[in-house]
Amino acid sequence: MTGMTVSRSPISLHRLAGPSRGVMLTAALLGSTLMPAAASADEPDYCPDRPGIGTPACTLEPGRASVEIGMGDWTLDKDRQERQDVFEAAELLVRYGVARHAEIQVGWTAFGWSRTRDRMTGDVEHRSGSGDATFALRRNLLNPDGSGLSIAVMPYISLPVGRQPIGDSDWAAGARVPLSYELSDKWSLVTTSQFDAAVDEDGDGRHFAFDEVVGASLKIGEALSATAEYEVTADHDPQGHSVAHVSGLSLGWQPTKDLQIDAGANAGLDRDAPDLELYFGLSRRF
């Protein structure tokens, strides 16, 4: 809301007599000053998907959009046989509020590059490409601004527009159930449960996978927040079942109410998980 406009028509001012005119002009000026402040105070805080492992339960207001970009992401995964480094850039997520409790999402990784070195022979393989396109609907069930106890359901589907190792080479689908609970004005608990029809490792067919993320978020100041998370993934791939454990720490800084800059790190806790991931990015609400 841009506020009230005070009429400056000579006829309108002429019809107002002495003290009455002064009182009404003062009231109008105060109204034009206070109304934008009230609208700003009523607007929900910006709640990007980035950073972190889990997914927030909040949704955007109707007609508002959020563009979130992973500027850089490096993942290291090594064992006795080989070492693989994967770099991703321009990881894009666009969110749009379609109702007070619902938003739609489109995600895509524009570019990725991998380097795999055989630790026995020293041979190196390089591969590059783009990622798959993901489409999702997030339907909030309680408190769409993320306050108090907030919960949502989020079905999604990914289409194989990319190629391995950045894309999966086949379609996949699943659903997430994010939940958050504010313990105080500084501390919040966050969880995300995910059920997937994940693509097989050979890129042909699908299998069941389950993922659970639990964490705690701390609001350090008016603009800075930190989140610590733990993730466990049970993957029932036909070529070998695995259970991976990962810990993560991320920071989000919002210098303005519609802009966030973030960075994070994830560390694998067992041999089935990637050893290390470092990333940074930014988000902007429109």
Side-chain angles (χ1 to χ4, degrees):
M1 181 179 295
T2 57
M4 296 177 58
T5 301
V6 180
S7 173
R8 300 187 183 276
S9 167
I11 296 177
S12 299
L13 294 178
H14 177 72
R15 289 178 179 174
L16 296 175
S20 298
R21 179 175 63 187
V23 170
M24 293 187 69
L25 285 175
T26 301
L29 288 171
L30 286 173
S32 66
T33 302
L34 295 176
M35 287 181 68
S40 176
D42 291 341
E43 184 179 43
D45 292 338
Y46 184 26
C47 181
D49 271 32
R50 301 182 55 87
I53 306 173
T55 299
C58 56
T59 52
L60 290 169
E61 314 90 273
R64 301 299 299 269
S66 176
V67 177
E68 307 179 18
I69 304 175
M71 306 296 291
D73 188 308
W74 167 62
T75 302
L76 169 65
D77 191 6
K78 63 181 180 179
D79 54 28
R80 293 182 179 180
Q81 285 75 38
E82 64 181 25
R83 167 180 171 144
Q84 183 180 55
D85 296 85
V86 177
F87 303 88
E88 295 181 359
E91 183 180 1
L92 177 66
L93 175 66
V94 179
R95 303 162 57 203
Y96 183 76
V98 294
R100 189 61 194 95
H101 292 76
E103 67 177 46
I104 56 176
Q105 301 184 0
V106 179
W108 180 59
T109 301
F111 177 76
W113 176 78
S114 72
R115 177 184 184 273
T116 304
R117 181 174 67 88
D118 189 306
R119 304 184 71 177
M120 304 298 294
T121 65
D123 294 339
V124 177
E125 178 186 30
H126 296 93
R127 302 175 69 182
S128 63
S130 62
D132 298 331
T134 302
F135 302 89
L137 168 68
R138 182 182 299 162
R139 175 65 167 89
N140 181 274
L141 305 177
L142 187 64
N143 292 327
D145 61 354
S147 62
L149 174 62
S150 184
I151 185 171
V153 292
M154 183 176 159
Y156 79 90
I157 184 170
S158 65
L159 303 180
V161 300
R163 60 181 182 180
Q164 292 184 338
I166 311 304
D168 289 327
S169 301
D170 203 349
W171 68 269
R176 298 174 186 171
V177 182
L179 180 149
S180 64
Y181 179 66
E182 290 184 331
L183 298 174
S184 67
D185 58 352
K186 291 185 177 294
W187 285 98
S188 298
L189 298 179
V190 292
T191 71
T192 302
S193 302
Q194 182 168 330
F195 310 87
D196 294 322
V199 178
D200 293 348
E201 187 176 352
D202 61 5
D204 184 17
R206 276 151 298 281
H207 62 275
F208 175 73
F210 172 75
D211 184 271
E212 182 70 27
V213 180
V214 295
S217 180
L218 171 63
K219 191 173 183 181
I220 300 174
E222 288 298 322
L224 184 64
S225 61
T227 302
E229 295 169 293
Y230 165 76
E231 176 188 35
V232 57
T233 303
D235 194 326
H236 298 273
D237 192 286
Q239 297 191 17
H241 295 189
S242 64
V243 178
H245 302 264
V246 172
S247 64
L249 179 64
S250 59
L251 296 172
W253 176 52
Q254 295 189 6
T256 69
K257 66 177 184 178
D258 292 321
L259 176 67
Q260 176 180 272
I261 302 171
D262 66 73
N266 300 325
L269 302 178
D270 59 18
R271 63 183 181 182
D272 288 329
D275 295 275
L276 181 64
E277 180 183 12
L278 302 175
Y279 60 89
F280 68 98
L282 59 87
S283 306
R284 176 74 163 86
R285 180 171 61 177
F286 298 90

